[in-house]
Amino acid sequence: GIQVEQSPPDLILQEGANSTLRCNFSDSVNNLQWFHQNPWGQLINLFYIPSGTKQNGRLSATTVATERYSLLYISSSQTTDSGVYFCAVEWGGGFKTIFGAGTRLFVKA
Amino acid sequence: EAGVAQSPRYKIIEKRQSVAFWCNPISGHATLYWYQQILGQGPKLLIQFQNNGVVDDSQLPKDRFSAERLKGVDSTLKIQPAKLEDSAVYLCASSLGENTEAFFGQGTRLTVV
């Protein structure tokens, strides 16, 4: 099956800093999503981005499908950005959605 | 629009007991997913429905887990009998169809003691 790897596994930032999270996948995918899981466990949709670049406020994402990776950029981080960031890919003829292990982000005030 | 609804939010049971979770997807969404998320890990797909048919259940422990989606709308996931290692958050998600954005419910946190 497909492998979805996220890096770094853990990240500590000072408020105001920028960061880049990476998602590598081992096979062609039909689509890719980025989620933020808040401290209460809710998965919040950030981007639906099978290819190209999208921006939403301080967040942006880029997926290069031909090279099998996606990047999530967080600029001017805030304490409320803390949580776990997951990428999830839809893969295969059955369109299964597979998650990476996540990047745990803590933003210090 | 209303989001994905799940109930209950929390459940504590003893091992060997049975438990059921309910999910109501976003209206009009044909695809429904059940995931298991163990503490510290990413969600793992248990079963995926397209309308009322099963698309994938390769990671569903079928000796104890079952799921159904009668009438292609809401769904139930059952565990019988529960084991300690079933302690996890069970997440339901839905999407319009294949290759479309998925939306998640708040999950049911199960503790098996």
Side-chain angles (χ1 to χ4, degrees), chain B residues 69-89:
Chain B
R69 192 184 183 197
L70 300 176
K71 302 180 182 178
V73 182
D74 55 354
S75 176
T76 55
L77 176 69
K78 296 179 182 178
I79 307 175
Q80 182 179 7
K83 293 185 176 181
L84 295 176
E85 59 261 36
D86 297 333
S87 294
V89 176

Side-chain angles (χ1 to χ4, degrees), chain A residues 30-31 33 35 37 39-43 45-48 50 86 90 93-102 104, chain B residues 9 33 35 37 40-43 45 48 55-56 58-59 91 95 97-107 109:
Chain A
N30 303 314
N31 69 55
Q33 287 188 245
F35 295 92
Q37 189 165 44
W40 296 271
Q42 176 73 50
L43 279 164
N45 292 46
L46 296 177
F47 294 101
Y48 174 78
F86 289 103
E90 190 176 272
F95 295 90
K96 291 193 286 189
T97 300
I98 307 298
F99 278 74
R104 287 153 188 77
Chain B
R9 289 294 312 280
Y33 315 79
Y35 287 84
Q37 187 176 20
Q41 299 181 17
L45 180 66
Q48 177 177 339
V55 173
D56 185 276
S58 57
Q59 298 195 92
L91 295 162
S95 65
E98 296 170 346
N99 208 16
T100 61
E101 190 172 4
F103 296 88
F104 281 78
Q106 291 185 295
R109 185 177 299 277

Side-chain angles (χ1 to χ4, degrees), chain A residues 15-100:
Chain A
E15 196 170 28
N18 304 328
S19 63
T20 300
L21 281 57
R22 187 177 181 101
C23 174
N24 292 335
F25 39 97
S26 60
D27 199 354
S28 300
V29 299
N30 303 314
N31 69 55
L32 185 145
Q33 287 188 245
W34 283 97
F35 295 92
H36 175 216
Q37 189 165 44
N38 65 22
W40 296 271
Q42 176 73 50
L43 279 164
I44 299 165
N45 292 46
L46 296 177
F47 294 101
Y48 174 78
I49 185 166
S51 64
T53 297
K54 291 185 177 180
Q55 181 157 6
N56 184 4
R58 296 181 296 104
L59 302 182
S60 64
T62 296
T63 297
V64 184
T66 53
E67 297 187 20
R68 300 181 182 170
Y69 73 89
S70 183
L71 303 174
L72 177 68
Y73 305 95
I74 304 174
S75 64
S76 303
S77 58
Q78 300 175 359
T79 56
T80 52
D81 294 333
S82 297
V84 185
Y85 290 80
F86 289 103
C87 73
V89 301
E90 190 176 272
W91 165 77
F95 295 90
K96 291 193 286 189
T97 300
I98 307 298
F99 278 74

